[in-house]
Structures are given as structure tokens and as C-alpha cells.
Amino acid sequence: MAHLRFKALDLANNRSKIKVESQGKISDYYASDVFGLKQMQELLSPDVFKKVKNAIDEGLKIDDDTADAVASAAKSWAISKGATHFTHWFQPLTGSTAEKHDTFFDAHAGIEKFKGTALVQQEPDASSFPNGGIRSTFEARGYTAWDPSSPMFIYGVTLCIPTVFVAYTGEALDNKAPLLKAVDAVDKAATQVCQLFDKKVSRVKASLGCEQEYFVIDKALFASRPDLVMAGRTVFGHNPARGQQLDDHYFGSIPPRIYDFMKDFETSALKLGIPVSTRHNEVAPSQFEVAPVFEDINVATDHNQLLMDVMSKVAERHRLKVLFHEKPFAGLNGSGKHNNWSLITNTGVNLFQPSSSARENLLFLTFLVTTIKAVHDNAELLRASIASAGNDHRLGANEAPPAIMSVFLGSQLNSVLDELEKNGNIHVEKGDNMYMKLGIDKIPPIILDNTDRNRTSPFAFTGNKFEFRAVGSTDNPATPMTILNAIVADQLNDFYAAVQKEIKKGTDKRLAIVGVLRKYIKDSKNVRFEGDGYSDEWVKEAKKRGLANVKDTPRALDAYLSDKSRKLFAKLNILNEIELEARNEIQWENYIMKVQIESRLMGDLVQNHIVPTAVAYQNKLIQNAKGLKEVGLNNKQVVSTIESISKHIEILQTEVENMTEERKRINKITDTRKKAIAYCDDVKSKYFEKIRYSVDKLELVVDDEDWPLVKYREMLFLR
């Protein structure tokens, strides 16, 4: 093992430079591999293009003739760019994407063919993907169906067609279908609220920008760590002497190998229409971030999943490995996927952007307060949306938001809401103090970017959007965005109904709006928090406020199956009972499998690598102790070390055996939820730390070149 590690270090230190050619101006090649509206307009007749455009804008069904025309144009365009195959590209409940490639070439006809039926629908095996019991092996049929709102693209030599994935019986088996329904729900709810202010608003789109954090290490160093290969994180490993304590990595000069890798994958991403914009070093050694600009939420979600795949493939060319795990290295910052979310009207108004206009500021406050109320009333469901085995390591670990869902606004907006709640007034500081009556004359301007930033807040307002910072780096953003848009849609519907009720009583519309907002501010006050989310004081304070602090995934997922959640999803037609229960079953099973893999890894490394090496080193010390005694020298220190090694070897062997027996016991449990909780409480919490403690103690005393771990983890990092 040690020789493999030294060879890996040698390879990492002597890599030849991968030359990355400049592609010139980005505008010359941006979206060149995308079959978007521009390409459709050039290749389709005006009538057909109009039908497709209307279908995309209005969510209408595309007829067979139009589908045939689009398929023919897409085939010609794709073949002209070297494509030989097509695939329905979808997002099953595996946490990644899926594809089955079919050739354009028809062997019987001897020509390339691609019909509208093949564009619109395909039939993958629904029983082979996670389905939570919806599909059995003998009930394998499932369908993928074209999503025209997300553009087709060429990846390699394959035309990829974004699709939803549903069972033969109609249940959604993917992440995209519920997201599309949630986005539709928030569109309708937000539009009717906007029309209280502006009748010209006919549509509201949810937008998203995903900041993607990740680690990069050399491929050979990755391969020398069985735990990284199998679990995506190091289950063992001593903390390096130099980690992130100097704060010298964050926004520092990007290491040359990583810089070339970044340029390379960004070029590929830009050709695919992914609008990557920002790159920088993150806090931990070998941790980085890429961030795109805002897009339609459905397209942004597709692009995030595609970007992760592009990064992994490009890394192979550079002999690197991208680690997306939320916590690949204990003792260092983990990685998140910060979801920057906003709502934009068809008239171009960002509903979360303050303005100098009184009417627009009342509109802004309406959406701000309604969103806060939605988070307050559905905090546990929002927590469930970002629950995973990997994210459990990260949340609340002094580098990420805690598991307690709260909203950060900043001192000025908090003052605005407090004044509105108490007096129906607003007091805004902008140069000279201004104090005006709200809802009667006008609302004074609220300054853009009037908030500080709070890295400890899971859901923070950042000037013209909300940033959901608690999302894990491996998560598909479709899941938390489905929940966020659903709860906001539901709250907007309630708001609209409450305002209409007041108007029917004869209340002035503006005063009716203000009256409902004042009630919402009072009802949701407990979820607003401006302080340090890492502090013990906040945990105590949150408990007093009645805010949940669900620290592990198995229990967090319970929120999906509450009566309140069931009613919400049914009312908005996003997920039915079968789909909800299936998703929970899948996520519990996923948690079980991940903890089980880590448990088996720990046992294997201990029994087959760590203990044999420790015993071999112990034997060397025994010979040394005998030699010291024979020449009359003090051997107490050596004997003490031998005894320490023996003690920890015994603990490791006992605890690994106990952990194995515990797994066997738990695996007999048939209830998936109870099984997941048992893995959390009786395997992960009970045994992992005990075993890791003894391994750490051994690592401090076993000074042997055959020691199977990377003793100082900085050897993995690219500086």
C-alpha cells in the first residue's frame, strides 16, 4: 500500500502539462452545440417555429406533424455537426442522469432517420431504476417524454433530448416532472398576485443560479485511497498539520493544473449553452467553485447536472478526479450547491428586487414576506429537501448552515418589517431619515444590496434573490427547488385569497394587502434570524422559538409524509400519495446503502490493511525492546508503545466485529424507515467514531512506510 502511495505521489508530481488551446471570443462558440430557438428558427418553417415557440412559452402540447418537423430539423443539424446517435436524457431517482443511445441510421432503409415519435417518446426499463416499489421486475415498462422547454444538445457524438421519466401507470420516476409541476404552480400563483399591482403581468418564471463547490485531486492519489474510490470520502485519515487554518486558499491564485482544467471544462460547458461565469478557489485546500449566471429554473437544473458530468469527463483528460461529495475530508470545509432563486415577470420585473417606485416596493414586500411565511410554515419540509447521508456531515459543521431552517434579511429589511408589523409604517435610512405612511401615500425606496451576507444562514436574502445555502454539492437542485416553489406557490394562493376576502368587505386594495402582510410578518417572525447560526446559543434560541433541528436524514425525511405535506402536494398536483411514499422509500434505501458501504469499507481497511500493518510494526518494536533490554538500556517507552498498539488493535478488532453483527441484525428489519434510523443510530453514530478514534491513535504511533493511509492528508492536495 505504501509503495502504491509513493508511486501515486511520484505520478502526481511529474504530470506533463495538458495544453488547453484558446477558443477565442466566447460569443463565437457559445451554445454552438445546442439546438435552441435560434437554430429552430433558421431550420423550421415560420408556422412550425411559431407552434414550437408557443408550446415552450405556454406549456402547450406539440402535435405529431410539428414533432416530425422538429425531429427532421434536429437530425439534419446534429448530423451536420458529426452526431451519429440520439438519446432521451433524463434524471431518474439515482441522483445522476441517464441515457440510452440509438443510432440515426436505419439499416433496413440504408439512410439516417429520426421521426417525431422517437423525439417525443422512448421506453426505458422502469424497474431497473429506483422506483420505491412502483415498478416490479415483471412490470418494467416506463416512458421518457420530451421536454421542449429545455433545449436539445450534442454531447460527444450524441444528440441529447431532455425528457421526463414516468412509469407505465403514470407516476413520476424522475426529478424533472415534479419540478415542472411546481414551477407551473408558482407561475399561476405569482401571476394572480402580480395582477393586483399590474394587469400586464401574464406569466412569472422562477429563475435559478447554482454555485457548484467541488474538490479536485490527482487521479493517482484518488486511486490510492480505497475509501475515496468506494465512498467518495476518506473514512480514515489524520488531519494535516496545515489545512485551511491560514485562510490562504480562499480566492487565492488558482493552481496551474486546476486553471488549465477549469479553462477546458468551461469551454465545453459554454459550447453546451451552460452560462458559467465565475471560478475561484474555495476555503479548503484543493476546493474550488464554479458559478453560472441565472437561467430559467428547469434549464438551470438540467445544466447543473450536465455540468457535473462535463467536469468529471474533462478531469479524466487532465488525470484529475473531481470530488462532489459534501464532506470528502474530515476537518476541512465541505461543499455545497448554493441555489440562488428568484421570480421574474414577463414584463421584466424581478419580484425580489427593491425599487424607488412605491408600487413596486409594495410588490417587493409582498413577495418577500410571503416567501418568509412559506419557509416558516414549511421549514421541516424544506429541511427534508436537502437531506442526504453526505449532507449530514456538512450541515452545522462550522462551514455550512445548520440543520435549523431560518431566514436572514439583514438589519435594514428587518427594521422595515418590524415597523410595518407594529405601525403600518416604514422607516428607511438613505442619507437623511425618511418616515412615511405605508399603503396610503407611497412606500419609500428600499436600497438594493441593503443587506450584509450571513454565511451561516441556510436561506438568506442577498439583495435581489434568496440564496438557499443548505443544499448539498451532490444534490440535484430539482428536489429542493420543487419544494421551495411548491411552498411559495401555496402561500401566494393563500395570500391572494386573504386579500380578496378583505377587498370584498370593502377594504381598499392597498390597505388589504398591507393588512395581510402585517399578519404574515407577525406569524413568521420566529424564522427570521440575523446572528451566528453556528453558535450553541442559536440552538437553544431556536428550540424556544419552536424551530426544528433535525440533524439526520432518516428522521428529516418524515416531513414528506406529514398530513400537511400530503395535502400541499395533492392540492398543487405535484406528487400523489404513491409518488411521495416511493420517494421516501428510495431516499431511506439510499441512506442505508451509503452508510452500509462506509461501514464495510471501515471493516475491510481495519482488518486487511490497518491491523496487519500495526502488528508488523509492533513486532519490530518487540525486537527493539528486547535489544534495549539485552544491552541494559531503558525500554519502558518502547514497551508502553507496544501496549498502546495492542490496546487499540484489540479495540478495533472487537468493534469491527460488533459493527458487522449489528449490520446483520439491522438488515433483518423490514421497515425501511426503522432500518435507516438503526443504521444512523446503531452503526454510524455508535461505531464509526469509536473505530476512527483507535485508528487515529494508531496512526500517531505506527511510524512505518507500509502504513496503509495517507498519514498527512496534505499529500492529496494540489497547491
Side-chain angles (χ1 to χ4, degrees):
M1 180 66 79
H3 301 302
L4 174 64
R5 188 167 77 249
F6 294 143
K7 184 178 179 181
L9 284 168
D10 186 56
L11 283 170
N13 288 326
N14 292 284
R15 297 287 192 197
S16 57
K17 182 178 174 61
I18 304 294
K19 190 173 183 181
V20 179
E21 298 287 351
S22 173
Q23 299 291 313
K25 290 191 302 180
I26 292 174
S27 56
D28 290 339
Y29 61 85
Y30 180 68
S32 58
D33 290 337
V34 177
F35 188 69
L37 288 174
K38 179 183 176 183
Q39 289 75 16
M40 288 188 190
Q41 191 169 21
E42 291 173 353
L43 296 171
L44 298 173
S45 69
D47 287 345
V48 172
F49 176 72
K50 186 177 180 181
K51 288 181 181 178
V52 176
K53 182 75 163 53
N54 287 341
I56 293 171
D57 291 342
E58 307 299 330
L60 303 175
K61 185 178 179 181
I62 291 177
D63 60 64
D64 292 345
D65 290 340
T66 302
D68 279 335
V70 173
S72 177
K75 180 202 70 177
S76 299
W77 172 81
I79 290 174
S80 73
K81 296 182 72 65
T84 58
H85 289 68
F86 68 93
T87 183
H88 276 203
W89 184 81
F90 58 104
Q91 300 169 37
L93 300 174
T94 56
S96 57
T97 59
E99 53 200 60
K100 174 174 73 77
H101 298 195
D102 288 308
T103 181
F104 286 121
F105 181 68
D106 186 329
H108 295 292
I111 58 173
E112 277 73 22
K113 292 173 67 177
F114 185 46
K115 293 185 177 180
T117 51
L119 166 66
V120 171
Q121 183 175 303
Q122 277 191 332
E123 186 186 326
D125 185 342
S127 68
S128 297
F129 291 102
N131 58 69
I134 291 176
R135 299 270 78 190
S136 300
T137 303
F138 63 90
E139 298 172 321
R141 195 181 296 273
Y143 298 110
T144 50
W146 175 35
D147 169 20
S149 64
S150 187
M152 291 178 258
F153 56 92
I154 293 176
Y155 197 25
V157 293
T158 303
L159 175 67
C160 297
I161 304 158
T163 61
V164 297
F165 179 38
V166 297
Y168 177 69
T169 46
E171 291 88 6
L173 294 174
D174 70 342
N175 291 298
K176 179 187 275 277
L179 175 65
L180 291 173
K181 291 179 180 179
V183 168
D184 183 58
V186 83
D187 172 19
K188 291 174 181 174
T191 297
Q192 68 176 358
V193 171
C194 285
Q195 288 184 348
L196 293 170
F197 300 85
D198 184 358
K199 295 295 183 183
K200 293 178 183 177
V201 175
S202 60
R203 191 168 187 193
V204 175
K205 284 191 173 184
S207 71
L208 176 66
C210 284
E211 302 172 18
Q212 180 70 58
E213 294 177 333
Y214 60 97
F215 281 81
V216 182
I217 63 174
D218 188 273
K219 187 179 178 182
L221 292 170
F222 170 79
S224 72
R225 290 294 306 237
D227 45 4
L228 277 177
V229 173
M230 301 301 293
R233 75 180 187 103
T234 52
V235 296
F236 295 127
H238 201 62
N239 283 332
R242 177 187 171 190
Q244 62 189 48
Q245 62 266 51
L246 295 177
D247 298 323
D248 57 343
H249 191 258
Y250 190 54
F251 278 24
S253 177
I254 299 171
R257 281 187 71 190
I258 303 301
Y259 183 64
D260 289 333
F261 162 64
M262 287 177 168
K263 288 192 295 181
D264 204 355
F265 84 69
E266 285 175 2
T267 298
S268 297
L270 290 163
K271 287 180 179 179
L272 289 164
I274 306 172
V276 290
S277 176
T278 302
R279 61 184 180 222
H280 63 81
N281 289 3
E282 258 300 333
V283 173
S286 281
Q287 188 186 31
F288 308 93
E289 181 180 294
V290 56
V293 296
F294 287 70
E295 298 181 278
D296 173 87
I297 199 166
N298 178 41
V299 176
T301 295
D302 284 357
H303 278 169
N304 177 261
Q305 294 299 285
L306 180 58
L307 177 62
M308 292 170 73
D309 194 61
V310 168
M311 291 169 69
S312 296
K313 285 184 169 63
V314 172
E316 288 286 328
R317 291 205 295 264
H318 291 257
R319 302 294 186 267
L320 297 169
K321 182 66 180 179
V322 180
L323 305 178
F324 289 113
H325 194 287
E326 284 78 9
K327 193 78 169 177
F329 304 108
L332 296 176
N333 272 19
S335 296
K337 192 194 304 277
H338 305 156
N339 281 216
N340 295 281
W341 170 82
S342 190
L343 297 171
I344 315 292
T345 70
N346 63 298
T347 58
V349 175
N350 179 348
L351 295 170
F352 291 114
Q353 181 161 320
S355 167
S356 58
S357 161
R359 184 181 65 177
E360 288 179 5
N361 263 343
L362 183 54
L363 178 66
F364 158 73
L365 285 172
T366 295
F367 278 85
L368 180 80
V369 171
T370 307
T371 300
I372 296 168
K373 179 74 159 52
V375 173
H376 174 271
D377 291 359
N378 300 276
E380 291 183 49
L381 184 57
L382 204 60
R383 164 69 179 96
S385 75
I386 46 94
S388 70
N391 216 18
D392 282 358
H393 292 289
R394 169 180 167 264
L395 292 177
N398 283 11
E399 82 255 5
I404 304 165
M405 293 294 105
S406 65
V407 177
F408 170 82
L409 294 179
S411 57
Q412 186 184 359
L413 279 179
N414 259 307
S415 298
V416 167
L417 297 193
D418 288 343
E419 180 64 24
L420 176 55
E421 177 201 347
K422 291 173 185 175
N423 304 312
N425 296 328
I426 189 165
H427 181 203
V428 180
E429 292 185 6
K430 184 180 180 184
D432 296 330
N433 289 344
M434 295 193 300
Y435 189 77
M436 294 193 178
K437 191 73 176 174
L438 179 63
I440 296 176
D441 297 319
K442 65 177 183 176
I443 302 169
I446 300 170
I447 308 162
L448 183 64
D449 291 335
N450 52 17
T451 66
D452 197 353
R453 288 184 178 261
N454 188 331
R455 295 175 64 87
T456 73
S457 175
F459 197 79
F461 183 73
T462 56
N464 62 353
K465 62 188 181 298
F466 278 100
E467 183 179 17
F468 193 10
R469 295 181 57 86
V471 183
S473 52
T474 59
D475 285 353
N476 185 326
T479 300
M481 288 299 102
T482 295
I483 301 305
L484 178 58
N485 283 281
I487 63 176
V488 171
D490 188 52
Q491 195 65 60
L492 286 169
N493 285 333
D494 288 351
F495 172 83
Y496 183 79
V499 170
Q500 289 296 339
K501 184 178 179 180
E502 290 300 313
I503 291 173
K504 286 178 182 177
K505 291 179 182 177
T507 308
D508 175 79
K509 183 172 69 174
R510 288 186 299 168
L511 292 178
I513 291 170
V514 170
V516 176
L517 290 181
R518 291 178 71 182
K519 182 179 185 304
Y520 278 14
I521 292 168
K522 182 179 180 181
D523 291 347
S524 62
K525 200 168 187 177
N526 282 344
V527 84
R528 285 158 43 198
F529 178 63
E530 303 297 301
D532 182 1
Y534 297 157
S535 67
D536 292 335
E537 288 75 18
W538 170 230
V539 175
K540 296 173 186 175
E541 173 64 22
K543 188 175 181 180
K544 288 181 185 177
R545 296 187 186 190
L547 302 180
N549 183 13
V550 188
K551 295 185 178 181
D552 61 77
T553 289
R555 292 176 178 86
L557 294 174
D558 287 344
Y560 276 112
L561 301 181
S562 69
D563 289 341
K564 183 178 180 180
S565 296
R566 291 175 191 269
K567 289 175 184 176
L568 168 72
F569 290 123
K571 183 168 42 172
L572 298 175
N573 191 32
I574 292 172
L575 292 167
N576 62 32
E577 292 275 339
I578 295 173
E579 291 169 328
L580 266 176
E581 291 179 6
R583 275 165 165 70
N584 263 36
E585 189 78 11
I586 289 165
Q587 288 184 285
W588 279 322
E589 287 177 350
N590 186 270
Y591 181 88
I592 290 165
M593 287 185 287
K594 287 189 175 178
V595 176
Q596 193 178 77
I597 288 168
E598 291 185 1
S599 174
R600 287 173 172 166
L601 264 172
M602 293 178 89
D604 176 63
L605 287 171
V606 166
Q607 299 286 36
N608 298 315
H609 299 279
I610 292 168
V611 168
T613 306
V615 169
Y617 183 67
Q618 187 182 46
N619 289 336
K620 291 180 184 178
L621 292 180
I622 290 170
Q623 294 302 316
N624 180 257
K626 287 179 180 177
L628 290 172
K629 186 176 181 180
E630 287 173 3
V631 296
L633 295 177
N634 189 331
N635 64 359
K636 286 184 180 180
Q637 185 62 45
V638 178
V639 170
S640 174
T641 302
I642 293 168
E643 290 172 348
S644 176
I645 291 173
S646 294
K647 171 189 166 187
H648 289 295
I649 287 174
E650 183 180 355
I651 292 172
L652 284 174
Q653 290 176 325
T654 301
E655 295 301 336
V656 166
E657 184 178 337
N658 290 341
M659 182 173 66
T660 303
E661 291 303 313
E662 189 67 15
R663 285 205 313 267
K664 291 177 182 178
R665 181 190 70 80
I666 293 171
N667 286 338
K668 294 177 183 177
I669 299 173
T670 55
D671 184 294
T672 313
R673 178 185 179 274
K674 290 179 180 177
K675 191 173 180 178
I677 289 174
Y679 261 100
C680 177
D681 295 349
D682 300 333
V683 173
K684 184 178 176 183
S685 299
K686 186 174 179 182
Y687 288 106
F688 279 22
E689 290 309 314
K690 282 184 182 178
I691 293 170
R692 191 176 289 117
Y693 175 80
S694 285
V695 170
D696 286 347
K697 289 297 182 182
L698 280 177
E699 193 163 33
L700 290 171
V701 296
V702 178
D703 186 16
D704 191 282
E705 68 175 14
D706 288 323
W707 185 249
L709 302 178
V710 176
K711 190 161 186 176
Y712 294 107
R713 204 178 286 136
E714 63 240 32
M715 295 166 75
L716 288 170
F717 302 144
L718 298 166
R719 298 229 179 247

